Amino acid sequence: MSRNFLRAETSPYLLQHADNPVHWRPWGPDALAAAKKEKKPILLSVGYAACHWCHVMAHESFEDQAVAAVMNEHFVNIKVDREERPDIDAIYMSALHLLGQQGGWPLTMFLTPEGEPFWGGTYFPKDAAYGRPGFTDVLTEVARIFREEPAKVYKNRQALVDALQKQSATARPGEPTPQVPIVVAEKLVEIMDPEHGGIRGAPKFPQVPLLSLMWRAHLRTSREDFATPVTRALDHMSEGGIYDHLGGGYARYSVDEFWLAPHFEKMLYDNAVLIDLLTMVWAETGKPLYERRVRETVEWVAREMLTDDGGFAASLDADSEGVEGKFYVWSEAEIDNLFTPGEATLFKRFYGVTGPGNWEGTNILNRLARADSPVTAEEEASLEPLRARLFAERDMRVHPGFDDKVLADWNGLMIAALARAGATFGESEWVEMARQAFRFVMETMRVETNGTRRLHHAWRDGKLQHIAMADDLANMADAAVALAEATGDEGYAAEAESLVAELDAHYRDQANDGYFFTADDAPALIVRRRTVSDDATPAANGTLPGTLTKLALMTGKQEYFTRADELIRAFAGELQENIFPLGSYIASLDTRLRPVQVVLIGSLEETAELAKAAFGVSCPSRILMRIGDGAVLPASHPAHGKGKQDGKPTAYVCAGETCSLPVTDVDALVEELKRARK
């Protein structure tokens, strides 16, 4: 009988390992109890379904009988899907950083039977290579040290646990100055790649929170040195191999400094925040490339990432048929065989296809040669049918693995992005897709638990998993605010309020302010993390001040301003430590300092043109409200008591306590908004 306990799990990543000869267990009380009973250390392996190096380590080691035998003899082996259990991943990744090592996945940590870390790493080759020790050698040496040198293990785990607890308990409050967003943007300019865009060097990640922050600084100041790094990054990403030129959507990162070669995995969250940023920058620049990439990426989401129930799936794998990128790359011969000679010449010239190839003897389609000289509308028109033919050909290949679990935090990001993009581009179908996904999460993933409705983190195959993390509630609250703006439906504001109330009830740090990552009634881990630092996705404590500011303006309830200010002060001292992971927090500070309100007086139909004009202005700190006939703004609102001008649908643009004169013309509204965002 197999002693691999992963067969009953719902995570596609865990199920990928259900047939390993390793005696894997999912994280939980049973696994920890087994470690204590057997007096063995725990080998914790954390990864995710779309992770290329996770697959490599699995094929080399976890599927190997000899390696598995060593693992089973000396360890209790626990496998974790980092997307399903970001709480566990975050703790042990922090421990790896405290050991002075660079993080990444797969994460391989060695723990005491109580779950306390004492050593670890990331990918280990089966045999010594790349300057790394062989995995079997690592296993036998760690087992020996645990058995023969317990003092060394105790010293390590005590130091790590103390440091982890100090990290979460340390409060760095302060009072940020209004100059912070601009000062930080100036520092970011210094580390940007002036040629390829993005942060200098390789690998290159999109770093959307930092680019968004720089774009905000540009809108405030009109400084081109803030705008250029953003547009250069978006141009090169959107023409590089990190973008799927046939099917739409962006890969997670590029392994080189040119945005050419990705690891090919496509994650929902990356594409959500990139849709948001591209939409925001398009609204100011009108660049056709950005609109095209938004439309193609939304088409990809609707075609490949939408589950039958209306939620959004997590990711597409980097590998197919066990080979990284096989689904996406092309040989020159394949292109020549598919097209006429003239068509092939045209396509190869634009997409960098050659006989030797640009990556491991094959070709990653890219248009980097045209990143700084935009492809014309005529050229796009001639290439479009060729791309469509190639897409149809590719569709017959074996597709990459699909992780169809629905994660509340990632869905929140995509719902908000689709709502804002749909309103900006006038695409009601995108807004409706966002509404359906929001309804799925709120009705299916928020259920009665111990007498109250509680959001859960993950859903797959009809099963809910794990009480929500703070990021789930924060992102869904932001999604609700975005839908309230896009639709004019006041019910979404009430939904946002209920999500914030759930955060306050179960996640709030009463001693230091801010929110813990896990709920007060979630299964206990060795530490309860509290952070404002963005990781692969924005941090709840970073995004919430901006969302709470908008909610305060939308509802007229001053307590949301108070909570936003408490959050901002609670983490202000972090600005002296490291600005790099604070993009979301600083963007929220910018929204709190200078929110711009657009109040539309009239019915939804009457104000449609004014709303479209307002959404068409790049103004990330904007909050749009519609006041129907007979409705009244809160007495505290600067536009309280104002009405229609000459019986026409009317807009008021309010910055701080000051509102514009009544505006009934769309061009005048655009000019007022641009003035107010400074």
Side-chain angles (χ1 to χ4, degrees):
M1 181 177 172
S2 171
R3 293 186 61 199
N4 185 318
F5 294 90
L6 299 183
R7 291 184 183 280
E9 295 300 304
T10 57
S11 157
Y13 176 67
L14 297 186
L15 291 172
Q16 285 174 4
H17 294 81
D19 294 324
N20 291 169
V22 179
H23 296 165
W24 289 120
R25 293 174 177 270
W27 182 277
D30 290 348
L32 297 173
K36 292 173 188 172
K37 181 181 177 183
E38 297 175 29
K39 296 183 172 59
K40 287 182 179 180
I42 292 168
L43 189 158
L44 174 66
S45 177
V46 183
Y48 58 99
C51 165
H52 170 67
W53 285 104
C54 300
H55 299 326
V56 173
M57 192 166 177
H59 296 322
E60 289 179 349
S61 295
F62 304 150
E63 295 170 9
D64 184 277
Q65 292 286 350
V67 177
V70 178
M71 293 173 68
N72 296 336
E73 179 183 356
H74 295 295
F75 299 92
V76 168
N77 303 291
I78 299 180
K79 178 59 81 172
V80 166
D81 180 345
R82 70 166 293 264
E83 297 167 358
E84 192 174 80
R85 295 302 305 267
D87 50 344
I88 295 169
D89 175 61
I91 289 170
Y92 295 105
M93 187 64 77
S94 293
L96 184 68
H97 292 154
L98 288 167
L99 287 165
Q101 297 196 47
Q102 188 172 351
W105 296 279
L107 172 63
T108 308
M109 292 298 293
F110 297 96
L111 323 177
T112 67
E114 290 72 34
E116 299 162 327
F118 62 89
W119 193 71
T122 53
Y123 162 76
F124 290 100
K126 179 185 172 185
D127 302 307
Y130 319 118
R132 298 170 184 264
F135 191 46
T136 307
D137 296 335
V138 168
L139 294 171
T140 52
E141 179 61 9
V142 169
R144 185 196 66 76
I145 291 171
F146 184 82
R147 188 173 59 249
E148 298 175 10
E149 301 181 46
K152 185 181 287 188
V153 172
Y154 177 84
K155 182 181 177 183
N156 262 27
R157 69 98 181 161
Q158 192 64 46
L160 285 173
V161 171
D162 288 349
L164 287 168
Q165 290 174 339
K166 184 180 178 183
Q167 267 186 354
S168 291
T170 298
R172 293 192 179 94
E175 191 75 48
T177 66
Q179 289 74 40
V180 163
I182 306 302
V183 171
V184 170
E186 287 173 336
K187 291 183 183 297
L188 291 175
V189 169
E190 298 170 9
I191 62 171
M192 290 291 166
D193 183 334
E195 185 177 355
H196 309 294
I199 307 297
R200 283 195 181 99
K204 265 188 163 54
F205 290 82
Q207 301 288 3
V208 169
L210 299 183
L211 295 177
S212 299
L213 181 59
M214 295 186 75
W215 188 252
R216 283 172 174 260
H218 164 66
L219 295 176
R220 295 284 187 213
T221 63
S222 299
R223 284 175 54 173
E224 286 305 313
D225 61 330
F226 292 156
T228 300
V230 180
T231 55
R232 187 170 294 276
L234 290 178
D235 290 347
H236 284 250
M237 271 189 265
S238 296
E239 296 289 34
I242 191 175
Y243 182 74
D244 180 357
H245 290 264
L246 301 183
Y250 293 79
R252 196 165 75 90
Y253 69 102
S254 167
V255 301
D256 53 51
E257 63 182 317
F258 316 110
W259 303 107
L260 173 64
H263 264 318
F264 297 99
E265 66 266 49
K266 286 192 202 173
M267 317 301 292
L268 185 72
Y269 63 82
D270 283 315
N271 286 281
V273 295
L274 280 164
I275 287 170
D276 234 357
L277 178 60
L278 285 160
T279 298
M280 184 164 62
V281 179
W282 174 84
E284 184 72 7
T285 64
K287 267 196 172 183
L289 175 65
Y290 301 162
E291 178 175 359
R292 177 176 286 275
R293 294 297 179 255
V294 170
R295 290 186 177 279
E296 290 169 346
T297 300
V298 173
E299 284 173 19
W300 164 71
V301 170
R303 183 181 67 246
E304 298 186 35
M305 303 304 287
L306 198 58
T307 69
D308 292 341
D309 302 281
F312 297 113
S315 66
L316 286 175
D317 209 326
D319 300 5
S320 55
E321 300 181 80
V323 179
E324 182 190 10
K326 184 174 182 180
F327 181 74
Y328 296 100
V329 297
W330 299 86
S331 69
E332 184 181 41
E334 287 176 309
I335 303 297
D336 288 339
N337 290 338
L338 194 63
F339 297 137
T340 68
E343 290 171 336
T345 299
L346 176 71
F347 190 86
K348 289 189 293 186
R349 177 163 59 87
F350 271 90
Y351 287 94
V353 177
T354 65
N358 55 31
W359 182 74
E360 298 186 359
T362 65
N363 291 279
I364 298 172
L365 301 183
N366 74 93
R367 300 197 313 200
L368 284 168
R370 295 295 298 270
D372 297 319
S373 55
V375 175
T376 66
E378 292 76 17
E379 290 169 330
E380 287 285 13
S382 66
L383 292 167
E384 197 146 355
L386 305 184
R387 286 196 301 265
R389 213 180 310 166
L390 215 55
F391 175 80
E393 180 75 12
R394 189 182 78 174
D395 203 38
M396 292 188 284
R397 294 176 175 177
V398 175
H399 282 243
F402 179 46
D403 188 332
D404 60 349
K405 67 176 177 287
V406 178
L407 301 172
D409 54 344
W410 297 7
N411 270 254
L413 292 172
M414 184 56 78
I415 292 163
L418 288 173
R420 288 189 277 259
T424 302
F425 289 103
E427 293 290 348
S428 59
E429 287 184 6
W430 301 358
V431 178
E432 184 56 30
M433 187 164 38
R435 290 179 78 138
Q436 295 291 347
F438 186 86
R439 186 175 301 123
F440 172 79
V441 174
M442 295 297 281
E443 292 179 0
T444 305
M445 298 178 67
R446 202 180 195 206
V447 298
E448 193 83 9
T449 305
N450 298 328
T452 57
R453 283 181 72 221
R454 299 289 297 280
L455 186 65
H456 286 62
H457 173 64
W459 180 94
R460 182 177 183 271
D461 200 21
K463 295 178 186 175
L464 276 179
Q465 298 272 29
H466 317 299
I467 287 289
M469 321 296 163
D471 290 5
D472 296 308
L473 290 150
N475 290 351
M476 286 299 294
D478 184 58
V481 169
L483 280 168
E485 288 190 90
T487 66
D489 184 341
E490 295 177 3
Y492 287 113
E495 296 276 29
E497 289 191 87
S498 75
L499 291 159
V500 171
E502 191 173 330
L503 270 168
D504 284 338
H506 293 286
Y507 300 80
R508 192 169 175 182
D509 181 352
Q510 300 293 345
N512 297 315
D513 275 321
Y515 295 98
F516 289 110
F517 190 57
T518 51
D520 54 7
D521 56 351
L525 298 170
I526 60 169
V527 67
R528 201 170 170 213
R529 293 183 72 250
R530 168 188 175 274
T531 184
V532 71
S533 297
D534 295 333
D535 195 3
T537 53
N541 285 310
T543 56
L544 276 166
T547 303
L548 289 164
T549 297
K550 291 185 175 184
L551 197 54
L553 296 168
M554 194 174 271
T555 64
K557 296 179 181 177
Q558 297 300 303
E559 60 261 36
Y560 295 127
F561 279 138
T562 302
R563 291 296 298 123
D565 292 340
E566 287 170 352
L567 272 172
I568 288 168
R569 294 190 185 103
F571 295 100
E574 300 284 349
L575 292 164
Q576 309 304 317
E577 301 293 319
N578 180 12
I579 60 169
F580 196 75
L582 301 181
S584 298
Y585 169 82
I586 299 166
S588 279
L589 171 63
D590 179 65
T591 296
R592 179 66 185 98
L593 289 169
R594 301 179 188 86
V596 176
Q597 298 180 74
V598 179
V599 180
L600 304 182
I601 312 292
S603 69
L604 202 61
E605 293 74 20
E606 285 180 314
T607 58
E609 287 302 311
L610 290 171
K612 185 178 179 182
F615 285 122
V617 176
S618 188
C619 186
S621 59
R622 178 210 65 236
I623 183 73
L624 185 140
M625 293 173 285
R626 297 173 175 87
I627 307 300
D629 291 332
V632 179
L633 283 164
S636 60
H637 198 285
H640 175 75
K642 297 184 184 294
K644 288 181 176 178
Q645 176 81 359
D646 300 327
K648 298 177 183 176
T650 304
Y652 295 88
V653 179
C654 307
E657 297 303 311
T658 306
C659 292
S660 69
L661 293 171
V663 176
T664 58
D665 176 73
V666 293
D667 293 334
L669 174 57
V670 167
E671 291 308 312
E672 283 292 349
L673 252 176
K674 288 183 175 180
R675 268 197 294 272
R677 74 186 181 191
K678 296 292 187 186

